[in-house]
């Protein structure tokens, strides 16, 4: 019964030991959370770098697309111009009277081939 006389000291020791164990568990959890946070920060930096690279690539592609649109517009304009010139030349060939001989026809075609479109 002598042990029961010191029940406050024994209970205090048990409580202190339990609090110590709880502190150790909390310290381990805090260390784990700190490690996870550091890992997330590192991944965030890597992802940010990848996003910046993709954004740069997108801006570059937009610039290339704009240049291609300009080139396409110029090519379409040139194609329309050539179509008009071709139709005009064909109509001129059809409307021009040519002599009855093959020599006359060949002379006319040679002369037309030297004409430079406007």
């Amino acid at each position: 019964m002598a042990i029961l006389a010191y029940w406050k000291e024994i209970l205090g020791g048990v409580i202190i030991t339990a609090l110590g164990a709880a502190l150790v568990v909390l310290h381990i959890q805090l260390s784990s959370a700190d490690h996870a946070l550091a890992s997330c920060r590192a991944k965030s930096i890597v992802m940010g770098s990848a996003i910046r690279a993709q954004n740069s690539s997108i801006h570059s592609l937009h610039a290339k697309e704009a240049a291609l649109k300009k080139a396409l517009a110029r090519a379409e304009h040139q194609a329309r111009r050539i179509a008009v010139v071709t139709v005009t030349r064909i109509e001129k060939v059809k409307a021009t009277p040519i002599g009855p001989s093959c020599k006359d026809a060949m002379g006319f075609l040679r002369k037309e081939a030297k004409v430079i479109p406007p």
Side-chain angles (χ1 to χ4, degrees):
M1 290 287 190
I3 276 189
L4 290 178
Y6 300 104
W7 69 273
K8 290 181 183 178
E9 288 84 8
I10 293 172
L11 184 61
V14 170
I15 291 173
I16 290 174
T17 304
L19 287 175
L23 284 174
V24 168
V25 169
L26 289 175
H27 178 71
I28 290 171
Q29 288 178 347
L30 178 63
S31 295
S32 175
D34 191 37
H35 177 70
L37 179 62
S39 174
C40 286
R41 284 183 179 155
K43 288 178 183 176
S44 175
I45 291 170
V46 170
M47 292 297 290
S49 174
I51 288 171
R52 282 189 295 278
Q54 285 181 346
N55 286 344
S56 175
S57 176
I58 288 170
H59 289 300
S60 173
L61 288 174
H62 281 301
K64 288 178 183 177
E65 179 187 20
L68 285 174
K69 281 183 179 180
K70 277 185 172 181
L72 177 63
R74 283 192 305 267
E76 287 174 342
H77 175 71
Q78 186 67 19
R80 284 190 299 274
R81 185 172 167 257
I82 289 172
V84 168
V85 168
T86 302
V87 168
T88 304
R89 290 184 77 188
I90 288 172
E91 292 300 321
K92 181 180 176 186
V93 168
K94 285 182 180 178
T96 305
I98 303 171
S101 71
C102 189
K103 185 177 181 180
D104 294 334
M106 289 304 293
F108 173 76
L109 291 176
R110 283 190 188 106
K111 185 175 79 176
E112 284 299 311
K114 292 181 182 177
V115 175
I116 298 171

